[in-house]
Amino acid sequence: MATNVPLGTAATFGVLANTAITNTGPTVVAGDLGVSPAGAVTGFPPGTVTGTIHVNDAAAAQAQADLLTGYANALLQPVTNTVPTELGGTTLTPGVYNSASGTFSLNGTLTLDGQGNPNAVFIFKMNTTLITGATGNVNLINQAQSANVFWQVGSSATLGAGSTIRGSILAFTSITATTGAIVDGRLLALGAAVTLDSNAITVPALSTCQVVIQPVVGPVVVGQPTSVSAVVTCNGLPVSGASVTFTGGAVPVTATTNLAGVATGSLTFNTAGAATITATVTAADSGCTCTGVVSAPLPITVTPQPSCLVVIQPVVGPVVVGQPTPVSAVVTCNGLPVVGGTVTFTGGAVPVTVTTNAAGVATGSLTFNTAGTATVTATVTAAGTGCACTGVASAPLTIPVTPATGPLSVAPACWHVNLPIPIPNLFAATLTATVTPAQAGVTVTFFVSGLPVGTAVTNANGIATLNAGLSLLQISASSYTATATVGDIPVQATGTLRPCFPPV
């Protein structure tokens, strides 16, 4: 199921570019217009902007940062249907669409059917280009809204003369709107320019207060707590401190949104089969009418509780970064211990697999490379037990990991987009570690999201610096870790990792 793409402050922009915005003729932009980090705006006048023009200022930089977040969100949403490259002459219902060719064209009318749901979301994902012809047109029916249509373009978009597009185009590189093209949405380019010619661009009216339930991750099992979350926005911006009540489980649960507008709770379902989760929000002083606003329902399937169970035991004593921590789990089949079952513990730097003893207990050791909160899970495989034990996972165990002390420290770091040609990595960051007292020649290994990203050797000042390439998964981490051996003693330190501003 498609979920709304968060645009943050970029939601107010009708046109946003990285390097330049150029215009010919009487273009009208009903909304803001901006360029960042080092571009220029030309052609206004004769073009007009009803909002504010932002040229290389803080507002444009923040909008580009928020656009990057929205682009990543659209990129990662799972595809629900693969359709032909040519969209003209088709009617589609809400979902996430791609094509076998990795591109889309529009010559004719594409009809988007909201099926009576004004919150219905349509996402079109392209590895490369979006090209519309002169007859290209997007038609909305049954309460479909331009504000909920998104075009995630892997390279560049070209809108044919006189064509009409509805929704927000999120292009990794550039966008060209030829003479007379109409956009009921936004033209947002991450990497290069936006070119305009006598166009009409209208930012869709933003809904006031909106709450959107996020897809549930993993299986939902009878009697086991299930994590549920929802995002609350006011005019496209996150609402913090809002009260969100989740219903659909045995007992409703109420949680409060964080600074990102996300509320997370836990529901338990007592009956197997189909169930529906709904989130209702109450928020004061948000600038929107948020009291009593209800999400679209999220349908889920609740599976019966397996007869084979694996339960992680509480961890005894403090858990310290870089130090082995004993972990154990009990495996039972219909309440009786399972002997000789294979249990794999995950959540540390490296998974560990052990075998249950006569009491059904498996004991291993995990090492954690990053301080903070960690989650340990045990998965069991056991044959000949009379139970379906293969692939049965425990409920997760959350533990606090405390930092290790030692003569190694790290500096805060930030990541940025690796433009103009992201090879071999889309993102990059400069990671720094210092050995005190200064010692040259110490090899330091850097980790992000528990994965090694490279090594560096300290200089005469005891400083090791690594220019690391990062993946899309790794930039979601909020920290990085450095490890080294100083005086025959393993040490490590953890520092923050945040987006750079501007992010490119």
Side-chain angles (χ1 to χ4, degrees):
M1 184 180 76
T3 59
N4 224 317
V5 175
L7 294 178
T9 61
T12 67
F13 284 76
V15 181
L16 180 64
N18 179 290
T19 58
I21 297 173
T22 59
N23 172 63
T24 302
T27 292
V28 177
V29 178
D32 293 335
L33 179 145
V35 62
S36 177
V41 175
T42 58
F44 292 89
T48 58
V49 177
T50 64
T52 303
I53 296 178
H54 298 275
V55 180
N56 306 324
D57 61 7
Q62 183 61 54
Q64 276 284 1
D66 291 344
L67 172 57
L68 177 63
T69 300
Y71 184 92
N73 176 281
L75 181 69
L76 293 176
Q77 292 209 32
V79 172
T80 57
N81 283 288
T82 298
V83 296
T85 298
E86 174 55 50
L87 294 173
T90 62
T91 298
L92 298 177
T93 55
V96 181
Y97 296 93
N98 70 356
S99 69
S101 66
T103 183
F104 278 124
S105 60
L106 180 60
N107 296 281
T109 298
L110 165 65
T111 300
L112 302 181
D113 183 354
Q115 298 182 317
N117 180 8
N119 296 318
V121 177
F122 302 80
I123 298 176
F124 296 89
K125 301 173 62 168
M126 287 139 277
N127 294 334
T128 54
T129 59
L130 168 66
I131 300 175
T132 71
T135 59
N137 176 56
V138 178
N139 185 36
L140 305 179
I141 64 173
N142 293 330
Q143 297 193 56
Q145 306 289 326
S146 293
N148 299 328
V149 180
F150 301 91
W151 306 81
Q152 177 261 310
V153 182
S155 58
S156 298
T158 302
L159 307 184
S163 63
T164 299
I165 195 80
R166 301 185 192 278
S168 297
I169 297 178
L170 284 60
F172 190 78
T173 307
S174 63
I175 303 171
T176 300
T178 56
T179 307
I182 298 172
V183 180
D184 180 16
R186 306 173 181 89
L187 302 180
L188 310 174
L190 269 172
V194 175
T195 303
L196 308 172
D197 184 355
S198 305
N199 308 119
I201 303 163
T202 304
V203 174
L206 299 174
S207 58
T208 52
C209 184
Q210 188 176 36
V211 55
V212 178
I213 299 181
Q214 304 302 287
V216 173
V217 178
V220 181
V221 181
V222 168
Q224 295 185 9
T226 298
S227 179
V228 290
S229 64
V231 180
V232 181
T233 56
C234 168
N235 292 332
L237 300 177
V239 176
S240 62
S243 177
V244 178
T245 299
F246 297 94
T247 57
V251 178
V253 63
T254 299
T256 302
T257 57
N258 60 18
L259 292 176
V262 178
T264 302
S266 178
L267 291 176
T268 300
F269 301 86
N270 292 336
T271 305
T276 300
I277 301 173
T278 303
T280 303
V281 62
T282 299
D285 301 324
S286 67
C288 292
T289 305
C290 279
T291 300
V293 175
V294 182
S295 70
L298 175 68
I300 59 170
T301 300
V302 183
T303 60
Q305 191 174 48
S307 54
C308 181
L309 294 178
V310 54
V311 179
I312 299 180
Q313 304 302 289
V315 173
V316 178
V319 179
V320 180
V321 167
Q323 297 183 9
T325 299
V327 289
S328 63
V330 179
V331 182
T332 58
C333 171
N334 295 327
L336 300 176
V338 174
V339 181
T342 298
V343 177
T344 299
F345 295 94
T346 57
V350 179
V352 62
T353 300
V354 290
T355 303
T356 56
N357 60 17
V361 178
T363 301
S365 178
L366 291 177
T367 300
F368 303 88
N369 289 337
T370 305
T373 300
T375 301
V376 178
T377 304
T379 304
V380 62
T381 300
T385 63
C387 291
C389 275
T390 300
V392 176
S394 70
L397 175 67
T398 301
I399 58 174
V401 181
T402 59
T405 58
L408 187 67
S409 61
V410 296
C414 67
W415 57 261
H416 60 87
V417 180
N418 211 358
L419 293 176
I421 303 177
I423 297 175
N425 297 97
L426 180 58
F427 305 95
T430 300
L431 311 180
T432 305
T434 303
V435 174
T436 305
Q439 179 178 340
V442 177
T443 299
V444 180
T445 302
F446 294 88
F447 297 82
V448 179
S449 290
L451 300 175
V453 295
T455 61
V457 178
T458 57
N459 58 20
N461 296 320
I463 300 174
T465 303
L466 175 68
N467 293 319
L470 304 178
S471 67
L472 187 61
L473 172 64
Q474 288 172 316
I475 67 169
S476 64
S478 61
S479 63
Y480 73 98
T481 299
T483 65
T485 299
V486 180
D488 296 326
I489 299 175
V491 295
Q492 73 176 43
T494 299
T496 60
L497 180 62
R498 295 285 186 267
C500 300
F501 292 99
V504 293

